[in-house]
């Protein structure tokens, strides 16, 4: 069902024009959506923002594969940081973490292909994918133990990792299936 | 504040530089700045950053809102460090902390060390912002792809990033239009009704049309690229980039900066500095 | 290669992979260098499919069953690679904004040659040359997101000719352009053809396209050729209900038609005396960020009127109504609804008065079913739960969507474009507004759907007034009883259709052009007393009581031909 959306039968890792365009749309949407969110940041955490648009990332990964997911997270987050002001370099590891989330979300349909037989099972799978990808992808921010050792294990856990994965898992699990359910019927009509 | 890159610095000294220069400067500067801990040295860094920012000629009127927003973010981040780490993150040992007061209700202890640390964080953050913003405002939007290509990224990746930047303003408009279209149906994005889940689901009327609409519309973009031979072979980049003497001077300066900062860090000459007036006598 | 046609299509049939029926069948066609072919036909007849077959997207990007041959310069497109085809065929797609992939105008022009690895110095030379010949030099430094619709369209064409193709294909290039911009574009294409490039242009706006004097017309219906030949022959057989034809053609056809019933008050009945207007702008200034678009606009629209707003691209038509319903804050002045100031009232407050339908329906469709989509508004407004079923059925019935099977459960985004437009209105009607505001109701629709759509809107029960924005002046003049002309953020004319077209100079200044229907209405207006649709006016003219002997001109027997034309 999604094989066609990943650019003509060339397999999951190919970078066709279609993959490039979807990746660019995903990253641009992810970067822009932050501006149109109506929520503030999590109180008492280090710059952990509530990102209702987060589901866009897991959706692009889930629907269009790991390459699109990786690019959406990595470039989308770096551009968002550049537009808000902190620049693409300071929080580079957060961008990488976002990219990994997209990547993992993109691998999910391959693992779960046999279980996704109906629209609702696909939606459920996408919600699970969003949560798992979030938990796995953001493991990358533990690199702060190396680059910012003074923060310490506890601060990273309680002020960064946990609030991030909790809030993002919730947003991902809500928005991803909504988008999957809206897109699937259309993807079949747009096929080439 | 608009969600896109705007070429506000057009014609300024920095905008006339090679587009690779501001990108490299942002990297070199961050590499240096994160290694500096002494707030006096950070003050100097901020001064350098502000001079650099001024060369980008970004009209303040147009980024006022953004700076206001950043001010809030900075204060929150600095405040967090003060509260959570209690100053220990500065490498001060618990025994030598200078307590100032406690914040109710949990009685969080605020120390002179913590405040010093916040001040240096704010300073560093401001400096990094001042050096990073020119990426969004002083590089011609058409130059990103070629700059990244010449910095060593592949044809496709460079172009994908360029295409992303190209889509930003379009999608920002799309969001604004969709919000309008739903408001005339009585939708209120800021309504505080309902439980948390209900409120979260309330973003669907905005995100679904924008997301699905742009994916559906991508068919035409893909066709347009295929029809003009995208990705069929080795690509030319017709825009020629050339570092001039000013570029070399700027880059040389920031390379030196990164090296000096690294040396200071490794020789232990950039330790946290306790602002003396906080301790009194 | 000099001899032989440039483009040759032989027995072409194509079925998309996911379709059950072929989208085009048995197409035969050949085109010589410098020849211009106009392709027309109702929505869904296969025009875009034909374009894809010519430029090679079929079979290179679209999968499906292909039979027959497309040859360009003697070589089959199936055997050529897309990169070789790119050098021979330049394409302008249906929506130019989706076609532009670079951030700057210069970058967009360079895109094709860069992909093919052309030499950098040569590319830079060509950019300057093509920009000059397409009249867009002044745009070269601009970013593409800040271009107007017309400018984007020009850029797309310039980008397509960068590789010096011998054939240029364009899919509905005129949609969304004001008539003057459309005319400029067609002149550009004419010049290309005169220099030896063959042009295939798909267009619903046939009368406009005739401006560039196409050599031949291909008319498709249901994927099959129903006419291929010179323009004149086409005008003789075309069905005026499907295609807007020059008025002379309509007149020639009208012989023997029954006299139309023309009521003096065709529309929504007369204004209630002394009632305050539905919508009034008082010295309104409004715009975006630093840019003021509307300048001291004052006007008032009645409770029972059909009002059309016309004007150039970017003149502020959309902004005018967005400001009226509070989507854009006013910088000065006031807007009054039913006599009361809207200052301090929210958008939600006004939704029960105005149903606002945006230009692009998919911009707001998000629900999983049509039913939920319609109920979104009423639920937001806290309507009683027991009214919901009735609301859905009524709204769907009022826009004629009930014949789609199981419509309530369909996913809105899977409906066809025309159906989505109707659903957008049903959605607006779900809130039971008194006045409908439509932005570009006809864009991207063929003539038959556009007129059917406007007629349906007219018939909607319980609706007091309709205000709409459009570039289709004939449609506006036919379906509105009052016209506002906008230019540079100001209202420069306000009157009945016949009044506004009477001032020719002003009409042209607003980037509008005179169509044959307008000329005819101007000529007979003093006698008919109102602006009539082509069919009506033609019928009126042929049935006019003879004053002298001249009036029998149209009576020559044409029945036989008519029988063949209309379906
Ligand atoms: N990718 C596709 N897959 C399957 N069917 C398709 C595809 N694209 C078009 N069709 C179908 O082929 C037929 C012809 O479509 P086409 O887009 O060529 O029409 P058109 O004449 O260009 O219409 P319009 O004037 O609305 O643009 C339609 O029935 C359409 O639904
Ligand atoms: N969201 C926006 N931000 C900034 N400028 C805008 C925005 N929307 C429109 N404009 C500008 O305001 C002017 C008026 O735009 P508006 O959309 O009202 O024109 P219009 O008459 O409806 O044109 P068209 O016929 O092309 O739809 C244009 O110059 C346009 O570029
Ligand atoms: Mg079409
Ligand atoms: Mg408009």
């Amino acid at each position: 069902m999604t094989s066609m959306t990943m650019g003509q039968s060339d397999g999951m890792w190919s970078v066709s024009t279609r993959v490039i365009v979807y990746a660019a749309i995903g990253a641009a949407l992810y970067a822009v959506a932050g501006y149109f969110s109506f929520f503030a940041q999590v109180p008492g955490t280090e710059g952990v923002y509530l990102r209702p648009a987060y589901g866009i990332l897991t959706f692009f990964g889930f629907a269009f594969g790991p390459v699109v997911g990786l690019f959406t997270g990595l470039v989308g987050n770096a551009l968002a940081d550049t537009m808000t002001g902190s620049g693409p370099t300071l929080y580079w590891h957060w961008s990488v973490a976002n990219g990994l989330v997209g990547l993992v979300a993109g691998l999910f349909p391959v693992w779960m292909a046999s279980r996704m037989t109906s629209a609702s099972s696909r939606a459920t799978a996408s919600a699970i994918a969003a949560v798992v990808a979030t938990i796995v992808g953001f493991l990358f921010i533990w690199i702060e133990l190396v680059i910012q050792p003074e923060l310490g294990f506890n601060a990273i856990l309680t002020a960064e990792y946990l609030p991030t994965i909790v809030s993002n898992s919730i947003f991902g699990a809500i928005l991803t299936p909504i988008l999957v359910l809206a897109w699937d019927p259309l993807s079949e009509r747009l096929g080439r | 504040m608009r969600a896109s890159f705007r070429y506000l610095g057009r014609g300024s000294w920095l905008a006339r530089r090679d587009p690779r220069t501001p990108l490299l400067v942002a990297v070199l500067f961050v590499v240096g700045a994160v290694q500096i801990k002494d707030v006096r040295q950070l003050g100097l860094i901020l001064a350098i950053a502000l001079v650099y920012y001024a060369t980008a000629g970004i009209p303040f009127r147009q980024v006022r809102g953004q700076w206001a927003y950043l001010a809030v973010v900075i204060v929150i981040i600095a405040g967090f460090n003060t509260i959570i780490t209690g100053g220990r993150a500065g490498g001060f040992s618990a025994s030598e902390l200078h307590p100032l007061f406690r914040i109710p209700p949990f009685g969080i202890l605020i120390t002179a060390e913590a405040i010093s640390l916040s001040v240096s964080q704010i300073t560093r953050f401001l400096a990094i912002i001042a050096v990073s913003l020119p990426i969004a405002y002083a590089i011609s939007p058409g130059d990103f792809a070629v700059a990244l290509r010449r910095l060593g990224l592949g044809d496709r990746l460079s172009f994908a990033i360029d295409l992303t930047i190209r889509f930003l303003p379009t999608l920002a408009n799309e969001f604004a239009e969709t919000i309008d279209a739903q408001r005339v149906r009585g939708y209120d994005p800021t309504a505080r009704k309902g439980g948390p889940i209900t409120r979260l689901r309330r973003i669907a009327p905005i995100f679904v049309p924008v997301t699905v609409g742009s994916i559906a519309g991508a068919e035409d973009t893909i066709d347009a690229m295929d029809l003009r031979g995208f990705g069929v072979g080795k690509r030319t980049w017709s825009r020629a980039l050339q570092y001039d003497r000013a570029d070399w001077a700027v880059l040389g300066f920031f390379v030196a900066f990164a090296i000096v900062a690294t040396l200071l860090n490794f020789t232990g000459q950039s330790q946290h500095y306790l602002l003396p007036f906080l301790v009194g006598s | 290669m000099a001899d032989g046609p440039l483009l040759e299509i032989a027995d072409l049939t194509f079925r998309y992979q996911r379709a059950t029926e072929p989208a085009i069948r048995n197409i035969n066609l050949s085109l010589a260098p410098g020849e211009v072919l106009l392709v027309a036909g109702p929505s869904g007849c296969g025009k875009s499919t034909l374009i894809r077959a010519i430029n090679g997207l079929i079979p290179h990007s679209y999968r499906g069953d292909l039979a027959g041959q497309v040859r360009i310069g003697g070589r089959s497109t199936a055997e050529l690679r897309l990169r070789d085809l790119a050098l021979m065929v330049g394409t302008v797609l249906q929506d130019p904004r989706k076609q532009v992939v670079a951030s700057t105008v210069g970058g967009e022009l360079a895109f094709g040659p860069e992909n093919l690895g052309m030499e950098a110095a040569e590319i830079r030379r060509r950019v300057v040359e093509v920009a000059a010949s397409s009249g867009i030099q002044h745009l070269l430094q601009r970013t593409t997101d800040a271009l107007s619709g017309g400018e984007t369209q020009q850029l797309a064409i310039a980008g397509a000719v960068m590789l010096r193709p011998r054939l240029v294909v364009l899919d509905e290039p005129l949609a969304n352009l004001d008539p003057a911009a459309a005319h400029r574009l067609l002149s550009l294409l004419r010049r290309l053809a005169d220099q030896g490039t063959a042009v295939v242009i798909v267009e619903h706006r046939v009368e406009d396209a005739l401006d560039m004097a196409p050599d031949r017309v291909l008319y498709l219906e249901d994927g099959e050729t129903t006419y291929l030949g010179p323009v004149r022959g086409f005008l003789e057989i075309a069905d005026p209900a499907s295609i807007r034809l020059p008025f002379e053609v309509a007149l020639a056809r009208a012989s023997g038609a029954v006299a139309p019933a023309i009521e003096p008050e065709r529309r929504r009945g007369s204004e209630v005396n002394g009632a305050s207007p539905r919508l009034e702008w008082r010295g309104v200034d409004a715009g975006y960020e630093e840019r003021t678009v509307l300048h001291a606009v004052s006007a008032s629209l009645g409770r029972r009127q059909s009002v059309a707003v016309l004007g150039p691209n970017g003149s502020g038509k959309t902004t005018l109504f967005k400001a009226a319903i509070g989507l854009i804050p006013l910088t000065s002045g006031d807007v009054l609804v039913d006599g009361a100031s809207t200052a301090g009232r929210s958008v939600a407050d006004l939704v029960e008065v105005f149903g606002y339908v945006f230009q692009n329906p998919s911009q707001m469709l998000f629900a999983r079913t049509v039913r939920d989509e319609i109920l979104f508004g009423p639920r937001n407004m806290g309507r009683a739960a027991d009214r919901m079923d009735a609301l859905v059925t009524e709204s769907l019935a009022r826009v004629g969507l009930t014949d789609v099977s199981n419509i309530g459960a369909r996913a809105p985004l899977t409906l066809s474009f025309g159906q989505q437009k109707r659903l957008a209105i049903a959605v607006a009607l779900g809130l039971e507004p008194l006045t409908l505001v439509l932005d570009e109701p006809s864009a991207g629709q063929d003539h038959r759907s556009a007129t059917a759509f406007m007629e349906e809107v007219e018939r909607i029960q319980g609706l007091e007034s309709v205000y709409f924005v459009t570039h289709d002046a004939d449609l506006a003049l036919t379906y509105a009883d009052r016209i506002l002309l906008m230019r540079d953020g100001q209202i420069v004319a306000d009157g009945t259709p016949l009044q506004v077209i009477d001032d020719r100079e002003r009409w042209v200044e607003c980037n509008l052009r005179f169509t044959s229907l307008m000329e005819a209405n101007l000529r007979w207006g003093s006698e008919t007393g109102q602006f009539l649709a082509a069919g009506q006016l033609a019928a009126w003219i042929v049935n006019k009581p003879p004053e002298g002997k001249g009036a029998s001109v149209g009576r020559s027997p044409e029945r036989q031909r008519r029988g063949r034309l209309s379906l």
Side-chain angles (χ1 to χ4, degrees):
Chain A
M1 168 181 247
T2 38
S3 63
M4 53 125 310
T5 56
M6 296 191 320
Q8 336 260 311
S9 74
D10 311 321
M12 179 165 71
W13 300 103
S14 81
V15 185
S16 61
T17 308
R18 177 172 293 271
V19 166
I20 288 182
V21 174
Y22 282 166
I25 290 176
L29 263 179
Y30 191 47
V32 168
Y35 280 71
F36 293 90
S37 310
F38 321 109
F39 298 76
Q41 58 261 71
V42 188
T45 59
E46 170 155 33
V48 175
Y49 298 92
L50 288 178
R51 270 200 191 169
Y54 178 77
I56 288 179
L57 168 59
T58 40
F59 166 72
F60 269 82
F62 185 83
F64 307 121
V67 177
V68 172
L70 174 66
F71 188 91
T72 299
L74 184 69
V75 175
N77 193 67
L79 288 184
D81 280 352
T82 309
M83 288 191 292
T84 44
S86 51
T89 34
L90 181 60
Y91 297 126
W92 64 274
H93 52 296
W94 285 91
S95 297
V96 173
N98 273 283
L100 291 175
V101 170
L103 180 97
V104 175
L107 293 171
F108 229 77
V110 183
W111 298 330
M112 309 255 301
S114 58
R115 306 237 180 109
M116 299 192 300
T117 46
S118 65
S120 66
S121 66
R122 242 178 92 72
T124 315
S126 75
I128 298 170
V131 174
V132 173
T134 305
I135 294 170
V136 176
F138 281 102
L139 285 175
F140 191 80
I141 65 162
W142 284 99
I143 199 170
E144 287 186 359
L145 282 176
V146 182
I147 57 175
Q148 248 184 303
E150 67 272 18
L151 268 181
F153 182 89
N154 277 333
I156 296 177
L157 182 71
T158 57
E160 295 187 349
Y161 185 68
L162 284 183
T164 304
I165 63 161
V166 169
S167 65
N168 283 350
S169 293
I170 294 172
F171 293 127
I174 290 174
L175 188 55
T176 316
I178 292 179
L179 291 173
V180 165
L181 286 172
W183 166 244
D184 273 359
L186 261 131
S187 77
E188 282 166 43
R189 284 184 8 124
L190 288 174
R192 294 193 160 184
Chain B
M1 182 157 60
R2 265 227 315 261
S4 65
F5 285 20
R6 288 182 291 167
Y7 194 23
L8 298 174
R10 182 192 289 270
S12 68
W13 185 83
L14 189 59
R16 280 182 276 125
R17 300 281 66 78
D18 186 292
R20 288 169 290 183
T21 303
L23 292 172
L24 288 172
V25 166
V27 175
L28 291 166
F29 187 83
V30 170
V31 167
V34 296
Q35 301 192 65
I36 299 293
K37 304 199 178 72
D38 189 319
V39 70
R40 295 164 298 183
Q41 294 164 354
L42 283 169
L44 184 65
I45 288 182
L46 178 58
I48 295 171
L50 289 176
V51 170
Y52 176 81
Y53 180 79
T55 66
I58 304 166
F60 182 69
R61 213 164 37 89
Q62 306 219 41
V63 290
R64 210 168 26 196
Q66 175 155 21
W67 276 107
Y69 162 83
L70 285 166
V72 175
V73 172
I74 291 169
V75 167
I76 288 172
I77 290 187
F80 155 80
N81 275 284
T82 313
I83 293 164
I84 297 278
T85 68
R88 275 180 302 278
F92 304 100
S93 69
S95 57
E96 56 177 10
L97 292 179
H98 297 74
L100 291 178
F101 52 89
R102 283 178 185 280
I103 309 180
F106 304 113
I108 294 169
L109 180 67
I110 300 299
T111 63
E113 285 74 12
I115 295 209
S116 296
L117 190 64
S118 298
V119 172
S120 49
Q121 282 218 317
I122 291 176
T123 314
R124 183 187 300 115
F125 204 74
L126 277 176
I128 289 176
I129 289 170
V131 172
S132 303
L133 277 181
I135 296 180
Y137 296 132
I139 299 181
S140 162
D143 280 353
F144 277 96
V146 64
L148 294 167
R149 179 70 190 90
R150 293 282 146 81
L151 286 172
L153 269 61
D155 276 352
R156 283 161 181 265
L157 183 55
S158 306
F159 192 81
I161 293 174
D162 194 58
L163 196 56
T164 310
I165 293 171
R166 143 88 182 92
F167 284 142
L168 289 175
T170 313
L171 289 174
N173 279 340
E174 207 72 10
F175 265 107
E177 275 281 298
T178 298
I179 291 175
D180 282 352
Q182 306 299 29
R183 281 174 69 201
V184 303
R185 299 166 75 186
Y187 169 83
D188 179 4
T190 53
R192 302 230 160 248
K193 290 183 292 203
I197 299 287
T198 320
R199 277 168 60 184
L200 283 176
R201 293 179 142 273
R202 209 175 290 149
I203 64 177
I206 305 297
F207 285 88
V208 169
V210 176
T211 309
V212 173
S214 29
I215 301 170
E219 294 303 307
D220 276 355
T221 312
I222 296 165
D223 286 353
M225 289 170 69
D226 280 344
L227 285 171
R228 283 180 289 167
F230 180 75
V232 293
K234 197 164 156 30
R235 196 173 195 280
T236 322
W237 295 83
S238 63
R239 170 99 160 84
L241 296 186
Q242 184 81 58
Y243 291 120
D244 64 10
R245 218 174 282 160
D247 287 305
W248 286 120
V250 173
L251 289 172
F253 177 83
F254 281 99
V255 168
F257 167 82
I259 292 172
V260 169
T262 310
L263 287 177
L264 287 176
N265 184 20
F266 278 90
T267 56
Q269 294 188 56
S270 189
Q271 299 296 331
H272 281 288
Y273 175 73
L274 187 57
L275 289 168
F277 63 88
L278 286 172
V279 196
S281 46
Chain C
M1 209 181 305
D3 26 304
L6 175 60
L7 168 71
E8 240 186 312
I9 299 178
D11 295 325
L12 180 71
T13 296
F14 181 76
R15 182 180 64 78
Y16 288 100
Q17 196 171 24
R18 281 159 205 278
T20 47
E21 292 287 303
I24 45 177
R25 257 174 273 155
N26 298 321
I27 308 284
N28 285 286
L29 175 70
S30 79
L31 204 65
E35 207 181 344
V36 178
L37 175 75
L38 169 64
V39 181
S43 231
C45 69
K47 302 181 296 294
S48 297
T49 308
L50 177 64
I51 293 277
R52 285 179 192 137
I54 295 175
N55 62 28
L57 283 174
I58 293 173
H60 291 285
S61 298
Y62 289 82
R63 303 281 162 106
D65 286 346
L66 177 71
Q69 281 269 332
V70 178
R71 276 189 297 275
I72 292 179
R75 299 167 67 189
S76 156
T77 54
E79 286 148 26
L80 286 163
R81 292 174 304 167
L82 264 181
R83 72 172 290 156
D84 302 320
L85 277 163
L87 289 163
M88 299 197 267
V89 187
T91 307
V92 178
L93 298 164
Q94 212 158 335
D95 183 349
R97 280 165 311 163
K98 303 242 159 73
Q99 166 156 17
V100 170
V101 294
S103 301
T104 60
V105 171
E108 179 66 20
L109 291 181
F111 181 74
E114 285 186 337
N115 288 333
L116 298 177
M118 215 174 267
E119 212 182 306
E122 164 69 9
I123 297 176
R124 287 196 289 269
R125 218 177 46 69
R126 266 200 208 182
V127 167
V128 175
E129 179 194 307
V130 169
S133 65
S134 329
I136 56 169
Q137 313 92 308
H138 61 290
L139 302 177
L140 271 179
Q141 300 308 317
R142 296 263 296 273
T143 54
T144 47
D145 66 287
L147 299 179
S148 77
E151 290 165 342
T152 311
Q153 194 67 270
Q154 282 177 298
L155 173 60
I157 295 181
V161 301
M162 271 299 285
L163 294 167
R164 305 213 175 115
R166 294 192 291 150
L167 171 63
V168 173
V169 294
L170 305 101
D171 200 348
E172 294 188 41
L174 305 184
N176 287 323
L177 290 192
D178 65 47
H183 180 68
R184 273 197 305 276
L185 209 82
L186 292 168
S187 323
L188 179 70
L189 292 172
R190 185 67 251 175
R191 266 208 312 283
L192 275 178
D194 292 341
Q195 289 158 10
T197 314
V199 176
V200 176
I201 174 171
V202 168
E203 192 47 67
H204 283 310
R205 285 159 68 172
V206 171
E207 189 183 359
D208 288 331
L210 291 182
D211 249 21
M212 68 171 297
D215 299 292
R216 280 188 297 160
V217 178
L218 169 64
Y219 193 72
L220 290 176
E221 265 171 312
D222 240 346
E224 285 180 291
T225 308
T226 46
Y227 179 84
L228 173 62
V231 174
R232 260 181 33 153
F234 172 67
L235 294 181
E236 282 169 15
I237 64 115
D239 174 8
S242 313
I243 295 245
R244 181 178 301 143
L245 299 166
F247 182 70
E248 302 74 56
V249 180
L251 186 56
R253 299 283 179 73
S255 49
V258 188
I262 304 174
E263 317 113 48
E265 274 300 341
R266 286 177 294 160
R267 309 204 192 270
R268 310 193 175 277
S270 45
E271 289 297 309
V272 183
N273 262 346
S276 45
R278 165 71 11 97
L279 176 59
E280 184 175 0
W281 294 268
R282 282 196 188 155
V284 167
D285 280 9
Y288 310 89
E289 288 178 21
E290 292 103 31
R291 186 144 178 242
T292 306
V293 174
L294 302 179
H295 303 282
V297 169
S298 291
S300 69
L301 307 184
R303 293 188 182 213
R304 294 178 178 278
Q305 280 184 332
S306 296
V307 184
V309 182
L310 291 166
N313 286 119
S315 57
K317 304 179 295 295
T318 299
T319 311
L320 181 71
F321 284 105
K322 283 195 169 174
I325 58 173
L327 290 173
I328 294 172
L330 311 183
T331 41
S332 75
D334 197 7
V335 168
L336 283 76
V337 171
D338 292 332
S341 167
T342 56
R345 285 170 74 180
S346 72
V347 176
D349 253 5
L350 295 176
V351 300
E352 303 182 302
V353 184
F354 295 109
Y356 188 105
V357 181
F358 281 70
Q359 178 170 343
N360 184 355
S362 60
Q363 248 164 2
M364 59 170 216
L365 301 178
F366 74 99
R368 289 192 59 197
T369 64
V370 165
R371 184 190 150 84
D372 284 343
E373 196 69 65
I374 293 175
L375 292 181
F376 178 66
R379 283 177 183 144
N380 284 333
M381 302 305 293
R383 292 288 151 82
D386 54 344
R387 283 270 296 123
M388 295 294 180
D389 284 318
L391 270 181
V392 174
T393 357
E394 277 167 30
S395 313
L396 287 173
R398 284 156 92 189
V399 296
L401 267 180
T402 27
D403 18 315
V404 181
S405 70
N406 201 13
I407 176 85
R410 282 282 293 273
L413 289 164
T414 61
L415 298 173
S416 82
F417 185 81
Q419 291 170 333
Q420 286 189 15
K421 273 210 110 110
R422 272 155 229 256
L423 176 58
I425 301 210
V427 159
L429 293 176
L431 287 161
E432 303 170 288
L434 301 170
T435 296
L436 209 50
V437 181
L438 308 168
D439 202 344
E440 308 271 2
S442 61
Q445 300 205 63
D446 62 33
H447 181 54
R448 184 194 292 269
S449 338
T451 46
F453 187 81
M454 290 310 294
E455 257 148 37
E456 279 165 24
V457 168
E458 288 215 313
R459 270 187 257 115
I460 292 172
Q461 301 292 312
L463 202 60
E464 293 184 351
S465 36
V466 178
Y467 306 152
F468 62 104
V469 171
T470 183
H471 286 299
D472 186 338
D474 278 348
L475 189 87
L477 295 166
T478 313
Y479 287 95
D481 35 37
R482 180 161 163 216
I483 306 280
L484 298 185
L485 284 188
M486 277 201 92
R487 195 158 61 101
D488 298 333
Q490 285 174 320
I491 292 176
V492 294
D494 177 353
T496 66
L498 282 177
Q499 283 165 353
V500 291
I501 56 173
D502 205 34
D503 186 337
R504 285 177 171 261
E505 211 168 300
R506 185 181 56 201
W507 187 252
V508 172
E509 274 168 11
C510 289
N511 280 8
L512 295 159
R513 310 188 73 229
F514 277 91
T515 62
S516 50
L517 177 63
M518 293 173 205
E519 300 286 4
N521 267 294
L522 274 176
R523 161 134 192 252
W524 303 106
S526 56
E527 289 171 57
T528 59
Q530 58 177 289
F531 194 97
L532 294 179
Q536 275 183 315
L537 181 59
W540 181 86
I541 292 173
V542 296
N543 287 291
K544 202 158 61 81
E547 11 130 4
K549 291 172 214 152
S552 60
V553 185
R555 298 256 170 196
S556 56
E558 295 264 315
R559 269 159 203 270
Q560 203 184 350
R561 197 191 285 148
R562 261 185 62 82
R564 203 156 47 105
L565 312 170
S566 24
L567 305 166

